[in-house]
Amino acid sequence: MSCVKTMATVIERPGEAAFREVTLTPKREDTVVCKTLMSAISTGTDMKTYHGMQHPEQCWYPLVPGYENIGVILEEGSYAPGLKKGDRVMINECRTYMDVCAAWGGGTQIVHKDSANAGGAGDPLCKIPDNVTDEQAVLAYLFCVSLKGVQRLGLTEDFAGTVLVFGAGMNGIGAAQIIKIKAPKATVIIAEPHPYRQEIARHYADHVITPDAAGIKKLEELTNGKKADKIIECSGNPAVPGILYQFIKDGGWKDDDEPGYIHLNGDYPEKLLFDHYHRWFVKNVNMSMTCAMKWSGKPQILQWISEGRINTSHLPCETWAAGKAKEAFAYQSDKGMDCFKILFDWRDL
């Protein structure tokens, strides 16, 4: 079968991005052919890849980064039953190319999506509601990551305790909103060290604190000394999980006393080092971890965006032409936490 080449965002080596051709895997019987409309830079995973912080068993260079991409179906295939040519869809991961690595492969103009190259257990295409814009839809992937983490917290509609969200990036902002959907009576507090992101967080949380001694004091004031009932860590900062005992409640020592719960929902580039055991065991917490999207959650996230229950209007996204990948990655690297999100526009190519 003849090979198909397409333009792509490529990280050639740590610290150097490019926009150039790559070769797609040949079409199979189940292949759906899509054209990308918009993609994005993940300030967590993609910048970790750009800075050479991925472990070599995960990926190598050159590679196509990304997993936040939406587009339109050009050719139908059995991998996406029920979807038709012309449908706008979440595309997302494409893990295999002929001449480059994928990490996680969501940055090409043309995409061959099938069961041989989709991520993990099968990353499905998902139709985008008509009233959801391209700019909104491209953000939905990371909210699916938030959804998987929030579900581990075991929230109910009647839960009226305090949930502390660490980090005001896409993952944390998504978590804060989903917590409010699932537990409307909950008090949501976001812990964020960066002033720029604190201002963003104020649109999505009941309170915003700093993750330091002053923040702990404020947390105690807000909870009458109890601290958080549950924590979801979304910053991806490997220094954070080991000190979370300072923010979680005591409890769980009696049968009718629910212990605190901590969920780690970040992509951590280094080892997680926990503070001395005696500071942890007295907290008696339950802990879990994930850092993956909930693939079956795509329709739910898109529905919540469509209904306005997930609000993206306060997220300061910068839109760059897809061909400016080299400059955009360098800009994001230089700005760091002061650049919230870069979207790539492929629609004029």
Side-chain angles (χ1 to χ4, degrees):
M1 299 180 69
S2 61
C3 292
V4 175
K5 292 186 179 294
T6 185
M7 296 304 293
T9 298
V10 177
I11 299 178
E12 303 284 6
R13 57 188 59 83
E16 182 181 336
F19 187 72
R20 65 168 174 88
E21 278 191 337
V22 300
T23 307
L24 302 176
T25 54
K27 288 192 291 184
R28 299 156 31 103
E29 290 185 1
D30 64 338
T31 300
V32 182
V33 180
C34 299
K35 180 180 179 181
T36 296
L37 299 175
M38 297 201 80
S39 64
I41 296 176
S42 165
T43 57
T45 304
D46 288 347
M47 294 311 296
K48 175 180 168 183
T49 307
Y50 182 75
H51 291 135
M53 299 171 72
Q54 297 286 5
H55 295 285
E57 67 267 22
Q58 290 184 283
C59 59
W60 58 93
Y61 300 89
L63 54 81
V64 175
Y67 39 62
E68 300 168 272
N69 57 319
I70 62 101
V72 61
I73 294 178
L74 299 181
E75 297 179 24
E76 298 169 17
S78 61
Y79 182 71
L83 295 180
K84 303 298 183 184
K85 180 179 179 179
D87 284 347
R88 276 191 319 145
V89 292
M90 291 178 67
I91 304 172
N92 308 124
E93 300 175 25
C94 183
R95 294 292 188 91
T96 308
Y97 294 95
M98 299 299 291
D99 49 4
V100 293
C101 180
W104 289 191
T108 62
Q109 183 180 18
I110 303 299
V111 183
H112 287 178
K113 183 92 172 189
D114 52 51
S115 57
N117 61 30
D123 174 27
L125 299 164
C126 185
K127 188 173 180 180
I128 299 167
D130 290 342
N131 70 329
V132 174
T133 67
D134 293 344
E135 290 80 1
Q136 291 173 313
V138 77
L139 302 177
Y141 181 103
L142 278 171
F143 294 149
C144 292
V145 175
S146 307
L147 175 62
K148 188 168 187 175
V150 170
Q151 287 183 333
R152 292 292 186 95
L153 297 178
L155 299 173
T156 65
E157 190 173 355
D158 293 330
F159 176 81
T162 300
V163 184
L164 180 62
V165 179
F166 261 76
M170 284 291 297
N171 191 359
I173 295 299
Q177 296 193 75
I178 294 168
I179 290 164
K180 279 295 192 182
I181 292 170
K182 290 189 167 291
K185 300 176 184 177
T187 298
V188 176
I189 302 173
I190 293 180
E192 171 57 52
H194 300 280
Y196 173 62
R197 295 192 172 210
Q198 289 169 8
E199 291 307 309
I200 299 168
R202 295 187 204 286
H203 295 284
Y204 298 102
D206 297 303
H207 306 279
V208 177
I209 65 172
T210 50
D212 54 18
I216 293 171
K217 182 178 179 181
K218 181 65 174 178
L219 177 63
E220 291 174 336
E221 292 173 358
L222 293 170
T223 59
N224 294 318
K226 183 182 181 183
K227 300 185 181 178
D229 295 287
K230 301 175 187 287
I231 295 175
I232 181 166
E233 204 299 303
C234 298
S235 73
N237 181 348
V240 171
I243 54 88
L244 290 178
Y245 67 88
Q246 300 177 55
F247 298 85
I248 195 73
K249 72 174 185 177
D250 298 315
W253 298 105
K254 299 179 181 179
D255 290 343
D256 60 350
D257 180 19
E258 183 180 357
Y261 196 104
I262 296 174
H263 182 75
L264 307 183
N265 207 49
D267 180 18
Y268 305 98
E270 304 295 342
K271 293 179 180 180
L272 303 184
L273 300 177
F274 283 72
D275 210 339
H276 297 287
Y277 177 69
H278 73 275
R279 293 173 178 167
W280 271 100
F281 97 92
V282 295
K283 290 295 182 175
N284 204 34
V285 299
N286 290 326
M287 184 177 290
S288 59
M289 61 181 67
T290 60
C291 186
M293 74 170 305
K294 185 177 179 63
W295 288 311
S296 61
K298 288 183 181 182
Q300 180 66 84
I301 292 296
L302 288 171
Q303 179 182 339
W304 282 337
I305 294 174
S306 174
E307 295 169 349
R309 301 180 76 186
I310 288 181
N311 181 1
T312 64
S313 65
H314 301 293
L315 303 180
C317 299
E318 302 182 31
T319 302
W320 291 59
K324 294 290 187 180
K326 177 181 177 69
E327 295 84 353
F329 270 92
Y331 173 85
Q332 177 71 77
S333 179
D334 180 62
K335 297 286 286 185
M337 291 296 103
D338 289 323
C339 177
F340 184 80
K341 193 72 176 173
I342 289 179
L343 308 182
F344 285 130
D345 192 340
W346 300 75
R347 291 172 292 195
D348 292 333
L349 294 179

